[in-house]
């Protein structure tokens, strides 16, 4: 399997994981996952499986009929018999619960909304296939979401972050020991994230031969497996070039020969390791902001929009399939641009005579 591209390896691992998750659900659920396979990614289906697992555990805990049944004994007839009240009780249950390990689980608005959206898709599938007569999930109102401020780095914070990566002055003595070994890699990685806005999963999946040094581009695989080329500027080119000189001297572990970014164990870096790397440096620069790789993506999108004013270009470069997604994230900037336009059109020249 190591000969397959990284994104295909991940898809196979996700499919294997999904099959195990489906085994823990009622038997009829396998029809739902087969039915949505062609229009969803494996990661999306895994999220559905987790959400449905929570729903069925709720029914086993709270529903007097289903509480007497094992998971395999739950049928579509039981699902068809549920009401809007059951759905509303489930929403209440989601706010706070104990999981199987007696850990406290708290869901806020967005967490509840995602789980109810999963349930709506689940019910819609069987209702549209005429497998059930009732669709109480369709009648449930989703919780009202309060808009959250988009967290991003300011221009001076971006410069300070890259300076810290390059110099490591604020790191602990132990961190400085590792920093000597990873400085060039870390600078290339963070410069790439900040200079292209690619997703952390896309960054993890990069191979050495995905870099087009001649045209300053990288080949990445977007969500759904679509292959695109993203272009970068001179700062990214310099940081990547320095790292490639170092990377070419490293002998990777078997199965990781093609990977661009390697860990100290000489294996392809994981999403988690890049998240920890970003967190380590960002906390030194802006401790009050919770900076993740996705926030670096938002930082790039903001800079690009401010420079170009082209929301469609931003959507295209970030890989948003719907420009409305982009508009939602950069609505405040759009409003700022509209306000700045108020004095751009002059109706009458001012009289300069005294």
């Amino acid at each position: 399997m190591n000969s397959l591209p990284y994104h295909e390896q991940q898809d196979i691992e996700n499919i294997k994981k999904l099959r195990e998750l489906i085994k823990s659900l009622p038997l009829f659920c396998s029809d739902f996952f087969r039915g949505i396979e062609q229009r969803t990614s494996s990661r999306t289906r895994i999220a559905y499986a987790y959400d449905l697992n929570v729903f069925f555990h709720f029914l086993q805990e709270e529903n007097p009929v289903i509480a007497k049944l094992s998971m395999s004994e739950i049928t579509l007839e039981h699902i068809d018999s549920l009401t809007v009240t059951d759905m509303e009780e489930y929403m209440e249950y989601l706010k706070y619960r104990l999981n199987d390990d007696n850990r406290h689980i708290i869901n806020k608005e967005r967490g509840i909304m995602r789980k109810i959206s999963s349930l709506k898709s689940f019910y819609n599938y069987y209702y549209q296939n005429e497998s059930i007569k009732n669709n109480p999930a369709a009648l449930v109102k989703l919780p009202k979401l309060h808009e959250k401020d988009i967290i991003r780095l300011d221009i001076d914070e971006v410069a300070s972050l890259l300076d810290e990566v390059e110099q490591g002055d604020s790191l602990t003595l132990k961190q400085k020991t590792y920093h000597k070994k990873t400085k060039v890699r870390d600078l290339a990685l963070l410069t790439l994230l900040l200079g292209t806005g690619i997703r952390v999963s896309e960054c993890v999946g990069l191979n050495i031969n995905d870099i087009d040094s001649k045209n300053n581009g990288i080949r990445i695989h977007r969500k759904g497996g679509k292959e695109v080329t993203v272009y970068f500027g001179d700062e990214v080119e310099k940081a990547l070039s320095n790292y490639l000189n170092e990377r070419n001297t490293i002998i990777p572990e078997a199965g990781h020969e093609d990977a661009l970014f390697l860990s100290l164990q000489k294996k392809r870096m994981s999403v988690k390791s890049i998240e920890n790397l970003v967190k380590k440096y960002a906390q030194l620069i802006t401790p009050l902001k919770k900076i993740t790789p996705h926030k670096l993506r938002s930082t790039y999108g903001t800079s690009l929009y401010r420079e170009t004013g082209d929301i469609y270009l931003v959507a295209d470069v970030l890989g948003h399939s719907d420009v409305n997604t982009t508009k939602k994230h950069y609505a405040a900037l759009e409003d700022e641009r509209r306000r700045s336009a108020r004095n751009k059109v002059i109706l009458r020249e001012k009289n300069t005579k005294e």
Side-chain angles (χ1 to χ4, degrees), residues 226-245:
K226 182 181 177 182
E227 187 178 288
V228 300
T229 299
V230 173
Y231 297 96
F232 51 78
D234 293 340
E235 289 176 286
V236 176
E237 189 278 329
K238 181 180 178 182
L240 276 179
S241 179
N242 290 338
Y243 173 63
L244 282 172
N245 290 335

Side-chain angles (χ1 to χ4, degrees), residues 36-90:
I36 65 173
E37 183 174 356
Q38 297 304 315
R39 62 178 189 275
T40 57
S41 69
S42 56
R43 288 179 63 187
T44 297
R45 294 195 297 279
I46 284 175
Y48 279 148
Y50 278 125
D51 291 345
L52 290 175
N53 186 275
V54 173
F55 175 65
F56 285 113
H57 273 94
F58 156 75
L59 293 177
Q60 287 185 312
E61 289 178 26
E62 305 295 336
N63 186 285
V65 175
I66 297 177
K68 302 173 184 177
L69 306 175
S70 67
M71 195 68 80
S72 62
E73 291 174 321
I74 301 174
T75 66
L76 271 174
E77 285 70 28
H78 293 114
I79 298 304
D80 203 4
S81 68
L82 298 179
T83 66
V84 173
T85 300
D86 291 308
M87 302 294 118
E88 291 173 343
E89 288 177 353
Y90 176 51

Side-chain angles (χ1 to χ4, degrees), residues 121-267:
S121 297
F122 179 73
Y123 261 92
N124 284 341
Y125 171 79
Y126 291 105
Y127 186 73
Q128 290 168 4
N129 287 344
E130 299 182 346
S131 300
I132 57 177
K133 295 179 181 179
N134 301 303
N135 189 356
L139 303 176
V140 175
K141 293 182 180 180
L142 292 172
K144 183 179 179 181
L145 292 180
H146 293 87
E147 290 298 321
K148 296 194 302 183
D149 290 336
I150 295 179
I151 299 172
R152 52 176 77 87
L153 292 173
D154 298 329
I155 294 174
D156 61 323
E157 291 172 334
V158 170
S160 296
L161 177 65
L162 295 178
D163 286 345
E164 185 58 50
V165 176
E166 195 164 29
Q167 298 160 14
D169 293 338
S170 301
L171 297 171
T172 65
L173 290 175
K174 184 177 180 180
Q175 287 174 330
K176 286 180 179 179
T177 303
Y178 291 108
H179 180 255
K180 292 177 182 178
K181 303 174 184 177
T182 65
K183 177 178 72 172
V184 176
R185 181 203 68 185
D186 294 353
L187 186 60
L189 199 157
L190 286 173
T191 303
L192 179 66
L193 290 175
L194 284 163
T196 62
I198 61 173
R199 297 177 175 90
V200 63
S201 58
E202 295 163 351
C203 182
V204 165
L206 283 172
N207 289 334
I208 294 175
N209 61 7
D210 288 327
I211 300 176
D212 179 358
S213 300
K214 183 179 178 181
N215 297 302
N216 279 14
I218 50 171
R219 178 177 58 205
I220 61 171
H221 291 87
R222 294 288 195 198
K223 287 182 178 178
K226 182 181 177 182
E227 187 178 288
V228 300
T229 299
V230 173
Y231 297 96
F232 51 78
D234 293 340
E235 289 176 286
V236 176
E237 189 278 329
K238 181 180 178 182
L240 276 179
S241 179
N242 290 338
Y243 173 63
L244 282 172
N245 290 335
E246 181 180 277
R247 171 66 180 81
N248 290 331
T249 67
I250 301 172
I251 301 175
E253 289 290 316
H256 301 267
E257 294 87 351
D258 297 330
L260 176 59
F261 292 113
L262 296 175
S263 67
L264 287 173
Q265 290 73 41
K266 300 179 182 180
K267 296 180 180 180

